[in-house]
């Protein structure tokens, strides 16, 4: 089964990422049931979330569901089996801990363990999670991913860059080198963050790569619960964003509302439909957050709102109007290859290569990376 337009991710509900209220396990499970009852049939998990706990809970929640009736998306790449957590940087990538000759074995073992926790024998899509430079460029990594597909452990394979935005030139280079192997890609995209994924989408379309977009909610703003001056509970990771991002985002959303209202869309539906109106985008997986503020609507309502996504698309003119309102070009320092780095001091930042600058020139992307 291929991915459906609406998808549910196990990072929702605050158990494995710190935002809003952390839901107890019973309610976490019931949220997955809510998604199922509302018609969502694509579920996304990553083995590193909770060191396998997200896999386990998803497997438990879907245990009584016919396997042929849902699409299961898994992600592997962080080695929490042998690696030590490095504070906010998380667990190291397997490409940091193992020699290239062991990449294939690691990928198979991590895939098999994740499948066991999910109580199934195959992923409909398996994605390389948060790769470092080696993950993007190593033949050994991609040999290992192709093997999982040929052995039936994954029906499709793909890339899930992150967690921060960027990696633009690395992604385009990877597509040009290995596009025949890549079925899907997960990208950050929403009406308030059209850049830099806007540069990758046309390349995905040209190469027949389908795109799953995450954070369509933009940190919760498109769920409609946050008001100007919103105060986050202590420890909420959104509190570390640039000061004023909530008010700035809400002001832009006000300018977009006439288009949403024209089509009868709630805010999360509008953000999702805008995503689906972009080249190559075929599935959306927002984050569902139980806000800690008084009067916030329930996370179950958010799920049902998103699940009722109508089958409409914005016109090219409407889509461009929204993009211009939300234009965020240059608003952040992007991850991945950059001329800012002389050496790789972090697994998500590395020096620029001449071949990537040449690629940027061919695609008209300039030289300031």
């Amino acid at each position: 089964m291929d991915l459906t337009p609406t998808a549910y991710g196990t990072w929702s509900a605050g158990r494995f990422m710190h935002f809003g209220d952390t839901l107890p396990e019973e309610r976490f499970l019931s949220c997955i049931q809510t998604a199922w009852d509302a018609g969502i049939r694509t579920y996304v998990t990553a083995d590193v979330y909770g060191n396998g706990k997200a896999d386990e809970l998803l497997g438990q929640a879907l245990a009584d569901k016919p396997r042929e009736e849902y699409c299961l998306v898994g992600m592997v790449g962080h080695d929490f089996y042998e690696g030590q957590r490095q504070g906010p940087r998380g667990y190291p990538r397997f490409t940091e801990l193992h020699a290239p000759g062991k990449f294939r074995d690691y990928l198979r073992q991590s895939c098999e363990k994740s499948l066991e926790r999910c109580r199934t024998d195959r992923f409909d899509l398996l994605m390389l999670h948060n790769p470092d430079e080696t993950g993007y460029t190593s033949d050994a990594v991609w040999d290992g991913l192709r093997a999982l597909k040929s052995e039936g452990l994954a029906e499709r394979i793909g890339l899930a860059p992150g967690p921060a935005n960027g990696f633009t030139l690395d992604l385009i280079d990877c597509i040009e080198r290995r596009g025949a192997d890549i079925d899907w890609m997960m990208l950050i995209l929403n009406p308030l963050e059209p850049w830099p994924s806007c540069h990758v989408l046309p390349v995905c379309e040209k190469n027949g790569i389908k795109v799953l977009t995450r954070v369509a909610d933009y940190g919760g703003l498109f769920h409609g619960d946050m008001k100007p001056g919103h105060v986050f509970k202590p420890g909420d990771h959104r509190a570390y964003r640039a000061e004023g991002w909530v008010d700035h985002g809400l002001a832009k959303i006000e300018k977009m509302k006439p288009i949403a209202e024209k089509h009868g869309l709630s805010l999360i539906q509008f953000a999702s439909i805008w995503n689906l109106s972009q080249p190559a985008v075929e599935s959306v997986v927002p984050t569902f957050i139980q806000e800690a503020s008084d009067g916030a609507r329930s996370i179950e309502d958010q799920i049902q709102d998103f699940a009722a996504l109508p089958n409409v698309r914005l016109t090219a003119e409407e889509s461009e109007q929204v993009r211009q309102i939300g234009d965020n070009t240059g608003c952040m320092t992007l991850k991945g290859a950059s001329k800012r780095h002389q050496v790789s001091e972090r697994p998500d930042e590395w020096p620029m290569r001449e071949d990537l600058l040449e690629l940027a020139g061919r695609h008209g992307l300039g030289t300031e990376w």
Side-chain angles (χ1 to χ4, degrees), residues 218 232 237-248 331:
Y218 190 69
F232 295 99
H237 76 80
R238 295 170 294 171
Y240 301 102
R241 294 189 180 191
E243 185 176 355
W245 72 272
V246 172
D247 292 5
H248 185 65
C331 73

Side-chain angles (χ1 to χ4, degrees), residues 1-2 10 13 19 24 61-62 72 76 82 92 113 129 175 184 188 250 253 263 270 281 315 318:
M1 182 174 174
D2 210 350
T10 57
F19 42 68
L62 298 177
L72 181 63
V76 297
E82 296 186 25
K113 289 179 180 178
H129 194 199
I175 292 170
W184 280 82
I188 293 173
L250 289 174
I253 289 174
H263 292 279
F270 163 73
V281 176
T315 67
E318 290 170 334

